Amino acid sequence: MTRHAHSVQNVQADSPKPRYRLRLFVAGNEPNCAKAKAMLARLCDTYLRDDCQVSIVDVLQDYQTAIECQVMVVPALIVEWPPPVRSILGSLTDEDTVLAALGLMKEGNEP
């Protein structure tokens, strides 16, 4: 079986290694997966800027990676770095939950 390339959004080439490494598992353009991709892009632009690397795995094209990562539900966001590894399931519409998983807080919130 041939592995399909993952979509990867890299930080700028001359920037230091990103502090966040994220992997989003989706199933094609299913509505919740499209929402998750859009929400993750917005959160990265707003809170992480050039400090993250995002790879998107479409399980319809590369189910083997999903099996290896033990992903049974999509959309699923895996925060691979910084440790510990964390998973968030769903369309990522609960911004506070995603930020908490990343160890970030909205401005004005207590840690």
Side-chain angles (χ1 to χ4, degrees):
M1 178 174 87
T2 304
R3 279 245 171 123
H4 294 278
H6 303 299
S7 168
V8 177
Q9 172 187 0
N10 286 315
V11 296
Q12 295 175 352
D14 58 349
S15 67
K17 187 174 181 178
R19 288 190 314 157
Y20 294 92
R21 192 171 62 232
L22 312 172
R23 190 181 297 196
L24 180 64
F25 289 84
V26 298
N29 285 323
E30 186 272 330
N32 279 340
C33 293
K35 284 182 193 175
K37 285 193 261 187
M39 188 65 166
L40 182 59
R42 189 182 73 71
L43 290 172
C44 287
D45 288 344
T46 302
Y47 296 99
L48 303 177
R49 293 178 182 75
D50 293 330
D51 206 12
C52 69
Q53 176 185 14
V54 175
S55 63
I56 297 177
V57 179
D58 185 336
V59 299
L60 299 177
Q61 296 178 6
D62 183 6
Y63 67 88
Q64 190 62 42
T65 299
I67 291 170
E68 290 168 5
C69 293
Q70 300 179 348
V71 171
M72 303 295 164
V73 176
V74 292
L77 176 66
I78 301 196
V79 180
E80 296 177 331
W81 189 264
V85 174
R86 295 156 315 274
S87 299
I88 305 167
L89 305 177
S91 60
L92 309 180
T93 55
D94 186 348
E95 187 172 304
D96 292 335
T97 299
V98 178
L99 292 176
L102 294 171
L104 300 171
M105 300 299 287
K106 283 186 180 178
E107 196 170 308
N109 287 356
E110 295 292 322

